[in-house]
Amino acid sequence: MNESIIFKKLNEYFTPTFLEIKNESEKHANHEGSPNTGDSHFYVIIKCERLKNLSRLEGQREIFKVLEKEMNHGIHALRIKIMY
């Protein structure tokens, strides 16, 4: 798993005006449950019209829905910031 896959899927689905994906895996090395692959913890910063009128929780659910496959196979943790 890497940032480019996450970026591509979110960009295609949401067409955001701003999207940044940061790999934060190094901050979580050797944490319990972490796969220690170097590509398992990510920070998503996104701004788009589609998420604008949703609650924070609803917006996060939409993002998780788009990344469902990746969440089940590779992503251990996803931190999300939705900009309005």
Side-chain angles (χ1 to χ4, degrees):
M1 178 62 45
N2 63 42
E3 298 92 323
S4 63
I5 294 168
I6 298 167
F7 185 93
K8 183 178 185 222
K9 289 189 87 167
L10 294 178
N11 193 51
E12 288 176 358
Y13 187 83
F14 291 108
T15 317
T17 55
F18 181 85
L19 178 61
E20 185 176 1
I21 314 299
K22 296 180 181 181
N23 187 332
E24 297 187 324
S25 299
E26 75 284 348
K27 295 179 182 178
H28 304 277
N30 301 317
H31 285 186
E32 186 176 334
S34 176
N36 292 314
T37 61
D39 287 315
S40 59
H41 293 70
F42 297 94
Y43 181 29
V44 172
I45 305 167
I46 187 169
K47 181 177 184 179
C48 73
E49 284 296 315
R50 193 174 195 157
L51 298 172
K52 185 177 174 183
N53 295 318
L54 299 179
S55 71
R56 188 187 65 155
L57 183 58
E58 291 169 327
Q60 289 176 351
R61 284 181 180 150
E62 287 295 307
I63 291 168
F64 283 124
K65 193 183 329 176
V66 173
L67 298 174
E68 182 176 8
K69 179 182 173 189
E70 291 74 16
M71 293 300 299
N72 290 323
H73 305 296
I75 296 177
H76 179 72
L78 190 65
R79 188 163 63 110
I80 300 170
K81 179 179 182 180
I82 300 172
M83 298 169 43
Y84 299 101

